[in-house]
């Protein structure tokens, strides 16, 4: 019986996911595979490295640091999230990621990225976080505030553009039990872009027709996926953990109290869901 997690992104809403995962680590819930999107990938790698509390710890410490993220980095480098500091200095030196533990876990970890040429999602297996850091950078490279990230011969942006919640891919991979951690409450649905936003998207990415279409149709695909999740959950095929209430938090939130509020909600909802999750995994 194989078990997998699907982790939605959402920038600093991902602190919710961190809270849920830390509860799962506390309860030693066995997981064979993880598919992470954007922040879900950045924070999800800590599950296989067994580093409970790491994601909330370094975000509380560095989220307000100008080197970590902000307008300064965007102006200087074209990336809202500082490449050298956030993706290299923090995990390599300041709050070291345990690569050895990650590899020892034997888990299969996949990061979802969007190919800017095809507009389609690709699912890259992460065997070594340090050596494949550019994949993690790509999965979280938000449109407009990030330059496309080169990996191999192609360029990529945020995996959430093409596949925000890769539950279908996860089931197609053959996992028997799938737990999905969302960062939006049950009632949330995306809305289409307004005329001004659509015009800006076409101006910025119009030369990449497939990518443009993926960005503009994301709301519809996302909402259809959420409906599919509800159906699969009712059928007992998957289990979904989602925020029990809405927390007003920015994707690039720097306020420590808001980060903690989102994380604590994840912890609380995670503990509420543990009995249900353990029963589902054993069934």
């Amino acid at each position: 019986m194989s078990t997998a997690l699907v982790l939605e992104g959402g920038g600093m809403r991902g602190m919710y996911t961190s809270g849920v995962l830390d509860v799962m680590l506390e309860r030693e819930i066995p997981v064979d595979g993880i598919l992470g999107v954007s922040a879900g990938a950045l924070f999800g790698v800590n599950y296989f490295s067994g580093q409970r509390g790491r994601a909330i710890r370094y975000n509380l410490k560095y989220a307000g640091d100008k080197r970590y993220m902000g307008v300064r980095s965007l102006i200087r480098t074209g990336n809202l999230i500082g490449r050298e500091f956030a993706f290299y200095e923090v995990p390599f030196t300041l709050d070291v990621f345990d690569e050895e533990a990650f590899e020892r876990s034997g888990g299969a970890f996949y990061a979802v990225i969007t190919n800017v040429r095809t507009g389609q999602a690709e699912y890259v297996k992460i065997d070594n976080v340090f050596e494949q850091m550019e994949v993690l950078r790509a999965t979280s490279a938000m449109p407009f505030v990030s330059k496309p990230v080169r990996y191999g011969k192609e360029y990529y942006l945020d995996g959430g553009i093409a596949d925000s919640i890769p539950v279908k891919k996860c089931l197609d991979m053959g996992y028997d039990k799938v737990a999905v951690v969302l960062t939006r409450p049950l009632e949330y649905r995306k809305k289409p872009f307004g005329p001004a936003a659509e015009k800006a998207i076409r101006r910025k990415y119009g030369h990449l027709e497939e990518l443009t279409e993926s960005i503009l149709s994301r709301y519809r695909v996302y909402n259809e996926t959420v409906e599919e999740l509800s159906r699969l959950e009712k059928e007992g095929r998957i289990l979904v953990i989602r925020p029990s209430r809405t927390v007003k938090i920015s994707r690039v939130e720097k306020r420590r109290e808001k980060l903690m509020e989102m994380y604590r909600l994840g912890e609380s909802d995670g503990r509420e869901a543990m009995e249900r999750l353990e029963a589902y995994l054993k069934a």
Side-chain angles (χ1 to χ4, degrees):
M1 187 74 70
S2 57
T3 301
L5 298 178
V6 172
L7 308 177
E8 183 184 13
M12 286 305 183
R13 290 199 313 275
M15 288 295 95
Y16 177 85
T17 303
S18 298
V20 173
L21 295 183
D22 282 351
V23 171
M24 291 179 63
L25 281 171
E26 182 183 88
R27 297 288 284 265
E28 299 183 342
I29 304 295
V31 172
D32 301 298
I34 298 176
L35 275 74
V37 182
S38 193
L42 297 184
F43 305 149
V45 292
N46 296 298
Y47 197 81
F48 281 153
S49 68
Q51 290 175 282
R52 181 168 172 255
R54 178 174 178 269
I56 184 63
R57 181 176 65 240
Y58 75 74
N59 277 286
L60 285 176
K61 188 171 184 178
Y62 298 115
D65 192 310
K66 293 179 180 179
R67 297 170 297 172
Y68 190 78
M69 64 178 175
V71 176
R72 179 185 178 186
S73 176
L74 181 62
I75 293 173
R76 289 186 173 185
T77 69
N79 295 302
L80 186 69
I81 310 298
R83 177 184 184 273
E84 294 304 321
F85 186 78
F87 291 95
Y88 287 91
E89 191 168 348
V90 170
F92 280 75
T93 305
L94 299 177
D95 197 319
V96 179
F97 177 75
D98 193 338
E99 175 61 37
E100 291 185 0
F102 177 84
E103 293 181 25
R104 283 199 308 269
S105 74
F109 191 95
Y110 298 86
V112 184
I113 54 181
T114 299
N115 187 308
V116 301
R117 178 178 56 83
T118 66
Q120 298 300 305
E122 296 182 16
Y123 309 86
V124 180
K125 188 172 184 293
I126 304 296
D127 296 308
N128 186 301
V129 169
F130 289 154
E131 293 177 1
Q132 295 174 278
M133 190 61 72
E134 290 302 282
V135 178
L136 295 179
R137 212 163 66 81
T139 190
S140 57
M142 297 177 285
F144 284 100
V145 294
S146 306
K147 290 182 177 179
V149 177
R150 183 170 182 173
Y151 184 68
K153 297 181 179 180
E154 301 277 0
Y155 287 86
Y156 298 89
L157 283 172
D158 194 324
I161 295 171
D163 196 354
S164 296
I165 312 170
V167 67
K168 181 180 185 301
K169 177 65 177 181
C170 190
L171 291 171
D172 288 345
M173 292 170 75
Y175 287 103
D176 302 299
K177 298 287 184 176
V178 177
V180 182
V181 181
L182 302 181
T183 57
R184 295 284 197 179
L186 178 64
E187 67 276 7
Y188 177 78
R189 297 293 184 276
K190 287 189 181 297
K191 297 178 180 179
F193 290 106
E198 181 175 342
K199 185 177 180 180
I201 291 165
R202 292 192 182 279
R203 185 185 302 118
K204 176 75 172 179
Y205 299 110
H207 62 294
L208 298 164
E209 294 182 7
E210 289 79 6
L211 178 65
T212 299
E213 179 57 32
S214 289
I215 294 174
L216 292 176
S217 63
R218 184 187 179 192
Y219 80 96
R220 175 179 52 78
V221 175
Y222 182 91
N223 294 342
E224 289 173 353
T225 302
V226 170
E227 296 297 331
E228 179 69 3
L229 290 179
S230 295
R231 183 184 68 81
L232 291 170
E233 189 173 28
K234 288 178 182 177
E235 293 175 355
R237 295 181 61 191
I238 66 172
L239 182 139
V240 181
I241 301 173
R242 52 169 65 84
S244 55
R245 61 181 175 85
T246 298
V247 174
K248 293 184 178 180
I249 183 171
S250 167
R251 290 176 64 89
V252 290
E253 187 63 65
K254 297 181 179 182
R255 292 172 294 177
R256 292 168 59 91
E257 66 272 17
K258 281 295 180 181
L259 299 178
M260 279 304 302
E261 183 181 3
M262 201 72 192
Y263 176 78
R264 294 300 186 202
L265 181 62
E267 279 192 319
S268 175
D269 289 351
R271 290 197 171 93
E272 284 285 327
M274 280 306 103
E275 185 176 340
R276 183 166 54 96
L277 174 61
E278 290 172 339
Y280 165 74
L281 295 179
K282 291 176 182 177

